[in-house]
Amino acid sequence: NTMFNGIEFDPTMLRIGAMNMQLHQLDNPTLIGKDALSEANADVENAYSLILANPPFKGSLDYDAVESSLLKTTKTKKTELLFLSLMLRMLKIGGRAAVIVPDGVLFGSSTAHKAIRKEIVENQQLQAVISMPSGVFKPYAGVSTAILFFTKTNSGGTDNVWFFDMKADGLSLDDKRNMLLEEAAFEQCFIKPENIVDKVKGKCDIPQILLDAKQLLNSSVNSSDAERKALTEKFSDSTAPSFLVPKADIAANDYDLSINRYKEIVYEEIEYDAPEDILKDIKALDEVRINAMLNLEKMMK
C-alpha cells in the first residue's frame, strides 16, 4: 500500500494511472492529485528510494509557479530540467532514478542545462546514459531521447559513466511501430536476455543493454578493485555501442552528456582508381557510345 506512489495534477491522467496499476494487481497505490513542481508539493523531500519517470518535454512554467527549492538547483522555466531537480529533492540518500529526457538536456548550452548536469555529475553519482533512437515514441513524438541513471549521494561518487548507443528496440522506428520479432522472442529480450542476445542483433538492443547493465551498474557495489579495472578495460572501446567515459572527460567537455561527444566514429576507407585510369574508362565508354550512335544512323538510312 505504500510502495508505489504517483503524483499528477490532471484528474483524467490520475484515473488512467490508477486503472493501469489495478490491471497490474496493484490495488491500492498512493496516488496524489497535485502539481509536483508547485509549492503544494514542497513537503515531499527525501521520501523515495527509486524514481522511474518520463517527465513532460518542452514545457515551460513561470518562476512564481515553481517551488523555490527547485530553482536553487537550476534556475529555469523548462519542465524537463525542473523535474530532474525535483527528483533530486524527492530521493532519499542512496535513492536511484531512471529518467527519460530529451537529447537537449544532454547537450544544451544554457546556464540552467549546464547547472543540472554538473549537479548530477559532481554532487551526485551519474551511472549511465542510454541513447535511444528518435522513433521510440512514434507516432506521438519523434524527438530523440535518452535514459539517465543516477543515484542521490549529495557527496559525489561519479567515476566512469556508461554510455550505450541503442539503435533498435525490437519495433520499427516509423509511425506504425510494427514488431520486428515474434512476441515470444520479444518477451525473452527482457526475461532471458543471455539466451537471445545473439539471435536478435540488429533488431533489438535491449538484451545487450540488460547484460551490460548487470555487469556495470552492479560493479561499484559487488566487485573488487581488480574486477572493476577489468570492466573498465573491457568497455574502453569508444567505437563500440557500449563503452565507459571517465568523469574527467565529461567535466572537460562542460558536462556534455551527448553520446556523440564521446563515441568515436570509424570511417571505412574507400579506394578509387587513379585519375588517369578513370579518364581511360570514360574515353572507352564514349567510344562505345559513339559507335552505337553510328550503327543506329546506318540502320535508319
Side-chain angles (χ1 to χ4, degrees):
N1 294 336
T2 59
M3 182 175 182
F4 295 95
N5 298 261
I7 301 171
E8 173 59 55
F9 73 93
D10 185 322
T12 301
M13 294 307 298
L14 202 64
R15 288 197 298 273
I16 292 173
M19 180 181 68
N20 190 30
M21 300 287 270
Q22 289 178 357
L23 288 173
H24 289 84
Q25 290 79 51
L26 304 171
D27 296 327
N28 194 27
T30 302
L31 300 180
I32 304 164
K34 61 183 176 183
D35 185 346
L37 295 176
S38 71
E39 292 286 351
N41 194 42
D43 59 320
V44 183
E45 187 174 356
N46 301 317
Y48 303 115
S49 58
L50 179 64
I51 292 179
L52 306 176
N54 181 11
F57 299 165
K58 299 187 181 301
S60 182
L61 297 173
D62 291 332
Y63 288 137
D64 56 8
V66 179
E67 195 272 313
S68 57
S69 71
L70 304 182
L71 297 175
K72 293 178 182 177
T73 304
T74 178
K75 189 171 183 180
T76 181
K77 298 180 179 181
K78 294 182 177 294
T79 54
E80 60 265 36
L81 302 181
L82 290 169
F83 270 100
L84 286 173
S85 182
L86 172 67
M87 289 164 207
L88 290 174
R89 191 193 76 199
M90 294 173 70
L91 282 171
K92 298 177 180 178
I93 299 295
R96 298 169 296 142
V99 189
I100 298 173
V101 297
D103 269 5
V105 171
L106 306 181
F107 58 77
S109 58
S110 74
T111 301
H113 282 88
K114 293 178 182 179
I116 194 65
R117 295 198 301 263
K118 183 176 180 180
E119 170 66 26
I120 293 173
V121 172
E122 292 290 351
N123 299 329
Q124 315 302 332
Q125 184 182 33
L126 177 63
Q127 290 147 321
V129 180
I130 309 296
S131 175
M132 297 192 290
S134 59
V136 293
F137 288 113
K138 285 187 175 181
Y140 309 106
V143 63
S144 295
T145 55
I147 312 173
L148 297 181
F149 293 82
F150 58 87
T151 298
K152 179 177 177 178
T153 65
N154 284 349
S155 59
T158 303
D159 185 11
N160 292 314
V161 179
W162 171 43
F163 284 79
F164 194 103
D165 190 12
M166 180 200 287
K167 295 295 186 184
D169 67 346
L171 291 84
S172 64
L173 297 173
D174 55 18
D175 287 347
K176 295 181 179 179
R177 294 289 280 160
N178 294 322
M179 294 280 291
L180 301 179
L181 309 170
E182 293 182 2
E183 189 171 347
F186 187 69
E187 289 179 359
Q188 287 300 306
C189 290
F190 299 89
I191 300 169
K192 292 287 185 182
E194 64 276 6
N195 293 345
I196 201 167
V197 61
D198 293 328
K199 299 176 183 177
V200 298
K201 275 188 176 177
K203 294 182 179 179
C204 186
D205 291 332
I206 291 170
Q208 191 63 60
I209 291 172
L210 293 174
L211 292 174
D212 289 355
K214 190 174 182 180
Q215 292 185 73
L216 292 164
L217 299 188
N218 292 334
S219 64
S220 60
V221 177
N222 302 322
S223 302
S224 65
D225 289 343
E227 288 171 328
R228 284 195 290 271
K229 184 178 179 181
L231 276 176
T232 301
E233 292 176 356
K234 179 180 177 180
F235 289 92
S236 62
D237 182 7
S238 59
T239 64
S242 183
F243 59 95
L244 293 170
V245 176
K247 174 193 166 185
D249 290 357
I250 293 173
N253 281 291
D254 220 0
Y255 301 98
D256 191 320
L257 297 177
S258 170
I259 194 168
N260 293 327
R261 173 72 69 174
Y262 308 101
K263 185 173 175 61
E264 185 180 347
I265 306 298
V266 178
Y267 295 97
E268 183 180 352
E269 185 177 355
I270 300 175
E271 293 186 2
Y272 296 97
D273 294 335
E276 52 269 24
D277 293 334
I278 296 174
L279 286 172
K280 285 180 184 177
D281 292 340
I282 293 173
K283 289 178 180 178
L285 288 171
D286 280 346
E287 189 175 343
V288 171
R289 179 178 60 82
I290 291 169
N291 289 335
M293 290 178 63
L294 293 174
N295 290 334
L296 184 60
E297 287 178 351
K298 290 177 182 177
M299 292 170 63
M300 293 174 65
K301 288 181 180 178

